[in-house]
Amino acid sequence: MDTVLALEVSAQNLLFREAHTANTFTDEPVSDEQIEAVYDLVKLAPTAFNQSPLRITLVRSPEARERLVGHLAEGNRAKTRTAPLTAILSVDLDFHERLPELFPVMPGLKDSVFAEVETREQAGTLNAALQAGYFILGVRAAGLAAGPMTGYDADGVNKEFFGDGKQKAIMVVNIGRPGPDAYRPRGPRLSARDAVTTL
């Protein structure tokens, strides 16, 4: 199958075959420049109407980390305290305000399609989740490990970090170099025969 894919095998391995969810990290720091490079890469991947609703809150200081840890499930607390960087990925429910800039071919889109909060939340959450997947791949492309988590009190995180209600967390991701015993054994995956249907 490697000859079917245009991407070099080493890149395939880095992004997919050798990539796992990391549960321990070294203390090597992750710089703002690394995260900016990751974002500058993954922002080019598609979203509907170029919505780009994902927002990334970097949790670096001990104070901010403890504010976050208090809302995490017990099993996610220790690894978050020791990860060199943690990102809260959220959806911006006011993403439509940037549509005249991001999707100028339809100048009325902001008010015609996305005027209602419920519509924005549904579309924005789907597309922010898509961008979250791109972000994880971008972290791997930077040679870092990602530890995405959804085990947290969403209401608590939203109130703690996004009190105005204009953003909602969709995922928390620990980022860094993998530490000792960082990875659990990879679980089984469905085969293409089980997952792909041709009509």
Side-chain angles (χ1 to χ4, degrees):
M1 291 296 290
D2 291 337
T3 58
V4 176
L5 301 173
L7 198 64
E8 292 287 339
V9 172
S10 59
Q12 296 172 33
N13 292 341
L14 178 68
L15 297 177
F16 296 99
R17 294 192 188 95
E18 296 172 1
H20 297 253
T21 294
N23 291 292
T24 69
F25 299 88
T26 70
D27 59 4
E28 181 179 336
V30 177
S31 69
D32 287 343
E33 290 75 18
Q34 286 173 296
I35 297 301
E36 288 172 13
V38 167
Y39 183 76
D40 283 342
L41 177 65
V42 303
K43 72 181 182 183
L44 302 173
T47 56
F49 300 111
N50 201 27
Q51 290 173 30
S52 307
L54 181 71
R55 301 295 179 264
I56 303 165
T57 301
L58 300 180
V59 180
R60 287 195 181 279
S61 71
E63 296 80 13
R65 192 174 299 268
E66 284 307 310
R67 286 169 56 204
L68 175 61
V69 165
H71 299 290
L72 299 181
E74 183 63 38
N76 291 331
R77 293 179 180 179
K79 57 188 172 184
T80 301
R81 282 192 173 103
T82 57
L85 180 64
T86 301
I88 304 171
L89 306 187
S90 61
V91 55
D92 180 357
L93 299 181
D94 281 345
F95 71 84
H96 67 310
E97 297 291 349
R98 303 297 295 270
L99 285 178
E101 168 194 351
L102 295 174
F103 205 69
V105 297
M106 292 181 69
L109 187 65
K110 167 182 174 290
D111 298 314
S112 62
V113 175
F114 295 110
E116 300 297 327
V117 174
E118 288 183 10
T119 301
R120 294 198 303 273
E121 183 165 1
Q122 182 178 14
T125 299
L126 173 62
N127 284 276
L130 186 63
Q131 286 189 288
Y134 300 147
F135 179 77
I136 291 168
L137 289 177
V139 167
R140 293 173 176 175
L144 300 168
M149 304 173 290
T150 56
Y152 58 87
D153 173 9
D155 289 340
V157 170
N158 291 335
K159 289 176 184 175
E160 187 76 42
F161 292 92
F162 314 119
D164 60 5
K166 294 183 178 181
Q167 290 185 51
K168 287 191 175 182
I170 60 170
M171 188 181 301
V172 175
V173 184
N174 290 324
I175 303 167
R177 301 284 180 188
D181 301 316
Y183 305 125
R184 298 187 180 100
R186 187 184 296 282
R189 300 294 195 269
L190 295 177
S191 68
R193 182 176 299 174
D194 293 325
V196 179
T197 301
T198 301
L199 303 177

